[in-house]
Amino acid sequence: MRSVIPCIDANDAIALVQGELDGVLAMQVHAHVEQCTCCRELVGVLAKMPTVRRAPTIDTAVATLPFAHGAPDDDVDAGALIAERYEIRSVLGSGAMGVVYEAHDRRLDRIVALKRVRGMRSPAAHERLVSEARTMAQLSHPSIVTVFDAGIANGAAYIAMELVDGETLRAYLATPRSWRELVAIFGQTARALGAAHTAGIVHGDFKPDNVLVDRAGRARVGDFGLARAVANADDDRGAAGTPAYMAPELLAGARANAASDQFALCVSLYEALHGARPFAGRTVDELRVQHARGVVVTVRPAALRRVLERGLAAEPDARFGSLDALADALAAIPKRRAVVVGVGASLLGVAASTVIAVAVTRAGITTEPAVDPCIAAADAELAESWNADRAAAIERAFAGVDVAYARPVGVAATKTLGDYARRWRDQHVSVCRTTQLLVGMDERMSCLYRKRRHVDALVDRLLHVDAASVAAVPDAVAALPSVEECREVSPLAERVELPTEPAAAARYRRLSDELDTIEVARDFAEFDAGLARLTRLLPEVDVLGVRALRARYRYVHGELLEHLGKLDEAAAVLEASLADAEASRDRRTKLRALLRLYVVAITHRDRAAIDRWSRLAEAAVDGSGDPPAERAYLLTAQGMQAYQIDDYPTAGAKFEQALAIVRREPDGDGELGLLLNLGDVAYMQERDADAKRYWSAALARAQSQYGELHPMVGKLLVNTALSEHQIGDLAASIAHLERALAIYRATVGERHFLVGNALRRLAESEVDLPDDQADAAKIDDHFRTAAEILDAAYGKPHPDTADTLLRHAMYAARRGEHARALALYQRSLAMRAAIGGADDPALFKAVHGVGAELIELGRPREAIGELRRALALHGKSAAATIQAGAFIERDLADALAMIGRRGEAKALRQQALAHLRAAKGDFSTEIAALERATAR
């Protein structure tokens, strides 16, 4: 056989039967045949065909073939007599080393199981096997198949054993069993192996196929030492047995011993509990790698998990001192005090999937939960990270935070985690059911393990929430990594090389887990703390030398630097992450690094870098099978790039495409941000109705994600009010602003800048109310209070404060309060100049206001200088409009006319008329007034 593939073809099967495979490949094929029904049937048929020459070792390769009828060994027929004592009656099945018959022991008049052992090529082999069997005959234990006799007859060794009325342990496990039933059965087998070890006998090939369960439900271990005896009879290699159950030391060539039997028993117990073996390697080399990585045991209770973790230790010395000690540990697992009929159903937000079955025992009728092994494994692993106790602890933690919105945020976080847990569980069950015997399970389960570890880290952080961090909780919970991407992990993808030495593997696992904690700190916007922790661990990561891990660390490092505004450093670190990911064949980190480099380039406005990374990022997404999360991220970045250069149609189209993807994915994150972006695009395009539609949808999403009282909901209420103001729905705008103010005052206090900005927006909406509805004193109070709050909150000149003063001045001017308006314009102007300098083009509005009020106060000569300055600044401003320039020209013309310079005034008025006629909007009143003034 040239390679191990999902199924073997007829030629490969014949090569196996004819003994044309070397020892390692034979073991690999055996491992596959043991798992694959189709291949077992193919090999079984070929083994019985007289035209196919069967190899002496074929019995090892077809050890698990379920021959219910028909003898694969045609030279022994019913009625034949073996050793002049055992009369063959029928074939019971094909055992690990030969054929098992039902036979009549004429000497003692009893029915026995007679195994004729083949696969040995020398008399010494037979003698060693007989010696092993006779030693077993001296051992009496209720959970060991009794050996009556052994010898050599008709050229083959035979063993006469007790005939057990029952089924193999593997067949027994095909029916769902409670974990207590499994612990009881494996406790019996552990006692049996312990007794054999005390007598100096090692099994060497323990697996569920070599254990029988009788009608009374008692385990009976058989085939002690047979595989080892056959293997050792013709050469001095100690390792024999089934690779999937063999301890690491056996795969390295060591002899079987009590510690390796213990390992094989724990592999079998893990398989019974999880529905799959702990080490999923297809070849001996892959098994060695899996052993070195270690295994994550997820069963409950914790006492059972600890037993398995110790019994499956890669180092023999780390296992239990004996099988009796292991059996004692199993027996010491606490007894159940009450029948449990659900597995955290209310917590997960789904109906309990546990099925109650009725088990009839000799003691009477009892109920036990009979669970699909894949469901049981998923529930057990999930319970380590998310369970009722942890959910209740989170609710208690939030209840203790003295912030108005803490409790609803905690409730929302718990619900989101419950929904996420349900999706994680469903994905785990799906992976287990579809891939447990195929290539790719290990990669997918590793992916799911990483997602669960992120939940662990997030829950740990939520349990220590405080007033300073509670606002960030919804964003951190929304950032939970998608479980759907684990479904997309390709079993044919290149595998990331991981450490195989046990100590290095343990360090790798610890450092990988630490990274989840750092990522949670990032999601809480605790960038400095996350960076400090990551920096402390980087030397360990570098010393370990696993480039895949270093790629992940550098990626998160780059993210943190970007969030802190250190864009050049971020780009350098992300490029290093990209190189490590490429070298270690970590495709996911490579893709993430390329996308992040693109975003950093956009933020940096580095045109060359944008062109480079945009092409590479798009090519990487295309070449990775178009993963939805990464495609949505790419589209969002392309939208950001277009928005940055005022290409609003392209930006809107990209954001819409990203939103459609996010909404299709159950774990999709980013819907809120995309709705906000689309609202911004519509607003900048003066599509105010569309802006309101997007921002209203964002508001509804935020209320679901953050709860009703979170400051983010207040911000979205303000945005929605802004769009409503623009379309003239003043009542709705004012209602939303008042609600936002109530949220802010309850959550961040009366003097917060958010309160100041909301008051300013409220006053602006109230200004546009009809005169009979507007309360001038109230509007003045809102403007004045807003400016005071903002000035105190910022503690220095700020554009928000300057703009509030400007809007208040405009309102005072409209009411004819010109002295007051002039003072407010001058305050706004001074503050703007302190921020951007005396030549800042953004000053033109305040300078224009000062000039206009000087005219109203009868000071035209002073006004002319201010208005000329306003016109010059307007010409440099990116925010300038045609109509704004026309109004400055109009006011300057009025000031010139007031001092007798009528020619200049007329020319300016004609210029202003031309500009107003070209401007967008209805300026008919202003145009008519200018025409009259020009005609005078």
Side-chain angles (χ1 to χ4, degrees):
M1 187 173 183
R2 275 70 61 187
S3 63
V4 178
I5 56 177
C7 280
I8 60 176
D9 63 22
N11 291 330
D12 292 332
I14 291 171
L16 170 65
V17 171
Q18 293 179 339
E20 296 175 356
L21 304 180
D22 63 34
V24 172
L25 279 178
M27 286 195 296
Q28 294 170 353
V29 174
H30 179 198
H32 172 76
V33 170
E34 185 179 48
Q35 297 171 348
C36 179
T37 302
C38 294
C39 292
R40 283 205 305 272
E41 292 177 353
L42 174 62
V43 173
V45 169
L46 291 172
K48 291 185 281 186
M49 291 177 62
T51 54
V52 178
R53 180 177 60 83
R54 296 168 55 216
T57 58
I58 185 59
D59 298 85
T60 300
V62 297
T64 61
L65 296 181
F67 294 115
H69 303 286
D73 188 5
D74 296 324
D75 62 346
V76 179
D77 298 318
L81 195 63
I82 303 297
E84 300 181 351
R85 176 176 177 177
Y86 301 105
E87 181 183 352
I88 301 298
R89 290 191 171 182
S90 64
V91 175
L92 293 174
S94 177
M97 296 300 152
V99 183
V100 181
Y101 301 90
E102 179 181 323
H104 177 232
D105 181 353
R106 290 183 172 181
R107 185 175 303 172
L108 297 178
D109 191 22
R110 62 184 175 188
I111 301 300
V112 300
L114 187 78
K115 172 170 282 191
R116 296 191 73 230
V117 183
R118 296 164 301 166
M120 296 175 288
R121 298 185 292 275
S122 70
H126 293 282
E127 292 296 341
R128 183 173 298 185
L129 175 60
V130 170
S131 175
E132 293 269 359
R134 286 175 176 165
T135 301
M136 281 299 302
Q138 299 172 25
L139 181 62
S140 176
H141 191 277
S143 289
I144 292 178
V145 176
T146 303
V147 174
F148 299 134
D149 181 30
I152 301 172
N154 301 336
Y158 69 85
I159 304 171
M161 301 173 289
E162 172 187 9
L163 180 58
V164 177
D165 182 14
E167 60 185 344
T168 67
L169 179 56
R170 189 175 299 282
Y172 175 85
L173 295 175
T175 300
R177 310 282 176 181
S178 72
W179 68 265
R180 290 195 174 278
E181 287 181 283
L182 299 178
V183 165
I185 284 290
F186 279 88
Q188 294 171 21
T189 61
R191 297 289 184 199
L193 290 173
H197 295 163
T198 300
I201 301 167
V202 174
H203 194 289
D205 189 25
F206 183 89
K207 58 186 176 183
D209 308 276
N210 289 337
V211 180
L212 297 171
V213 180
D214 65 21
R215 298 298 180 190
R218 184 177 61 182
R220 312 292 297 280
V221 184
D223 280 0
F224 274 88
L226 297 187
R228 181 169 46 83
V230 172
N232 293 351
D234 297 305
D235 57 55
D236 199 37
R237 293 172 301 185
T242 307
Y245 297 88
M246 289 168 66
E249 62 269 22
L250 296 190
L251 295 179
R255 291 183 175 277
N257 56 25
S260 61
D261 276 356
Q262 179 183 153
F263 186 91
L265 182 141
C266 288
V267 170
S268 302
L269 176 53
Y270 181 104
E271 181 180 19
L273 290 163
H274 286 78
R277 287 191 288 268
F279 307 104
R282 298 169 298 165
T283 67
V284 171
D285 287 341
E286 288 183 3
L287 281 170
R288 289 192 183 109
V289 172
Q290 293 297 312
H291 288 158
R293 286 182 182 175
V295 63
V296 177
V297 182
T298 58
V299 297
R300 299 194 78 185
L304 177 54
R305 184 184 72 246
R306 288 192 292 269
V307 170
L308 277 173
E309 287 173 344
R310 186 170 177 184
L312 291 171
E315 295 296 328
D317 290 344
R319 299 171 202 154
F320 287 93
S322 67
L323 265 296
D324 284 329
L326 185 149
D328 290 341
L330 290 175
I333 295 174
K335 302 298 182 184
R336 183 178 56 197
R337 289 173 291 184
V339 176
V340 178
V341 296
V343 189
S346 61
L347 174 64
L348 296 177
V350 293
S353 60
T354 303
V355 179
I356 304 302
V358 178
V360 181
T361 68
R362 294 193 177 191
I365 300 178
T366 62
T367 58
E368 290 285 349
V371 185
D372 179 305
C374 288
I375 293 176
D379 285 340
E381 183 169 346
L382 180 61
E384 295 296 308
S385 300
W386 185 245
N387 52 54
D389 290 341
R390 301 199 90 185
I394 288 174
E395 292 188 6
R396 288 194 299 273
F398 278 82
V401 177
D402 188 20
V403 173
Y405 56 88
R407 187 181 293 273
V409 164
V411 171
T414 303
K415 181 183 182 300
T416 301
L417 279 164
D419 292 341
Y420 184 86
R422 173 182 54 78
R423 294 194 299 275
W424 185 95
R425 176 182 183 272
D426 290 346
Q427 195 63 232
H428 194 285
V429 171
S430 176
V431 170
C432 174
R433 285 177 175 167
T434 59
T435 63
Q436 61 178 318
L437 297 180
L438 300 176
V439 179
M441 181 179 183
D442 182 56
E443 291 88 343
R444 292 184 174 106
M445 285 301 183
S446 293
C447 176
L448 285 167
Y449 170 79
R450 290 196 298 272
K451 309 307 176 190
R452 185 178 65 76
R453 271 294 305 136
H454 192 99
V455 172
D456 266 340
L458 176 58
V459 171
D460 287 344
R461 182 64 183 82
L462 293 175
L463 292 174
H464 297 90
V465 69
D466 55 22
S469 60
V470 68
V473 168
D475 291 331
V477 174
L480 279 164
S482 170
V483 298
E484 291 297 309
E485 70 183 20
C486 295
R487 178 187 61 197
E488 306 299 329
V489 173
S490 172
L492 301 179
E494 295 167 301
R495 294 186 176 187
V496 174
E497 294 295 330
L498 299 178
T500 57
E501 191 272 321
R507 287 197 300 275
Y508 170 84
R509 177 63 59 84
R510 176 177 58 81
L511 289 167
S512 181
D513 290 350
E514 285 280 358
L515 192 57
D516 290 299
T517 302
I518 295 168
E519 288 179 318
V520 168
R522 172 204 62 199
D523 297 339
F524 268 84
E526 295 166 345
F527 306 128
D528 287 314
L531 184 60
R533 187 166 189 157
L534 183 142
T535 304
R536 286 198 304 271
L537 293 170
L538 272 176
E540 279 193 76
V541 174
D542 289 337
V543 169
L544 184 62
V546 179
R547 297 195 74 171
L549 182 65
R550 193 164 65 192
R552 289 174 56 208
Y553 261 82
R554 284 180 166 172
Y555 173 78
V556 176
H557 190 187
E559 278 190 314
L560 292 168
L561 290 169
E562 180 199 355
H563 286 306
L564 290 169
K566 301 176 180 180
L567 299 181
D568 289 331
E569 292 178 62
V573 171
L574 287 168
E575 286 199 51
S577 169
L578 179 63
D580 281 329
E582 178 71 37
S584 62
R585 299 180 296 185
D586 182 352
R587 296 180 178 181
R588 183 164 297 279
T589 302
K590 173 185 174 181
L591 179 55
R592 294 174 73 194
L594 283 169
L595 288 166
R596 204 77 196 187
L597 280 162
Y598 179 27
V599 170
V600 169
I602 293 170
T603 307
H604 212 312
R605 295 178 180 265
D606 184 336
R607 174 56 52 191
I610 289 172
D611 291 342
R612 177 189 181 193
W613 298 121
S614 63
R615 290 195 305 271
L616 291 173
E618 185 161 18
V621 172
D622 291 341
S624 299
D626 203 18
E630 284 74 13
R631 174 62 69 184
Y633 191 96
L634 174 64
L635 288 165
T636 302
Q638 291 170 334
M640 290 166 53
Q641 180 186 348
Y643 188 92
Q644 194 178 75
I645 59 174
D646 301 332
D647 182 0
Y648 300 124
T650 298
K654 295 294 184 181
F655 292 147
E656 284 280 13
Q657 293 172 48
L659 182 62
I661 293 172
V662 166
R663 283 176 166 169
R664 286 198 302 268
E665 293 300 306
D667 283 330
D669 179 32
E671 179 177 352
L672 177 58
L674 287 165
L675 288 169
L676 285 170
N677 291 348
L678 284 164
D680 291 344
V681 168
Y683 187 78
M684 294 303 295
Q685 292 179 300
E686 300 184 7
R687 295 186 292 114
D688 297 311
D690 288 336
K692 178 184 177 181
R693 175 168 60 86
Y694 286 122
W695 283 339
S696 295
L699 174 60
R701 183 75 178 82
Q703 287 169 329
S704 170
Q705 182 173 324
Y706 293 87
E708 295 288 341
L709 295 176
H710 194 280
M712 175 58 77
V713 174
K715 291 179 182 179
L716 285 165
L717 285 165
V718 171
N719 267 23
T720 305
L722 179 62
S723 63
E724 289 165 339
H725 186 180
Q726 293 297 323
I727 62 177
D729 190 352
L730 296 176
S733 176
I734 290 169
H736 281 137
L737 287 164
E738 288 176 339
R739 187 174 157 208
L741 275 167
I743 291 173
Y744 289 153
R745 284 168 172 156
T747 57
V748 297
E750 289 281 354
R751 310 301 290 179
H752 197 277
F753 75 89
L754 290 173
V755 174
N757 276 318
L759 275 172
R760 182 194 81 185
R761 295 295 188 191
L762 178 59
E764 290 171 358
S765 290
E766 292 170 333
V767 161
D768 289 340
L769 286 170
D771 290 340
D772 60 342
Q773 297 178 27
D775 184 336
K778 185 177 179 182
I779 294 170
D780 275 331
D781 182 63
H782 287 161
F783 272 129
R784 184 178 60 257
T785 306
E788 290 172 358
I789 290 173
L790 293 171
D791 199 29
Y794 292 129
K796 60 182 180 180
H798 193 278
D800 288 349
T801 313
D803 194 48
T804 301
L805 292 167
L806 179 69
R807 300 291 179 177
H808 195 187
M810 294 167 67
Y811 179 61
R814 192 175 108 180
R815 289 179 53 78
E817 299 173 358
H818 300 298
R820 186 178 177 209
L822 177 60
L824 288 167
Y825 276 128
Q826 288 172 332
R827 284 180 62 196
S828 176
L829 178 59
M831 189 169 288
R832 276 284 185 184
I835 296 168
D839 296 326
D840 184 357
L843 297 174
F844 84 84
K845 290 182 181 180
V847 176
H848 178 199
V850 168
E853 293 313 302
L854 287 170
I855 292 173
E856 295 292 344
L857 292 170
R859 298 156 63 181
R861 293 187 183 280
E862 295 174 66
I864 290 171
E866 297 294 343
L867 292 169
R868 290 194 186 281
R869 180 186 173 202
L871 202 57
L873 291 170
H874 172 272
K876 300 176 183 177
S877 173
T881 61
I882 293 176
Q883 60 267 30
F887 292 145
I888 299 173
E889 290 167 342
R890 177 199 64 188
D891 291 344
L892 179 57
D894 288 348
L896 288 168
M898 289 174 69
I899 63 171
R901 295 163 65 174
R902 298 188 182 278
E904 291 180 68
K906 184 174 182 178
L908 272 173
R909 283 172 179 153
Q910 289 174 336
Q911 187 173 314
L913 269 173
H915 285 151
L916 275 181
R917 286 169 178 151
K920 293 172 62 177
D922 181 10
F923 300 106
S924 56
T925 301
E926 290 82 358
I927 289 172
L930 269 172
E931 287 175 337
R932 289 193 298 271
T934 303
R936 286 198 295 269

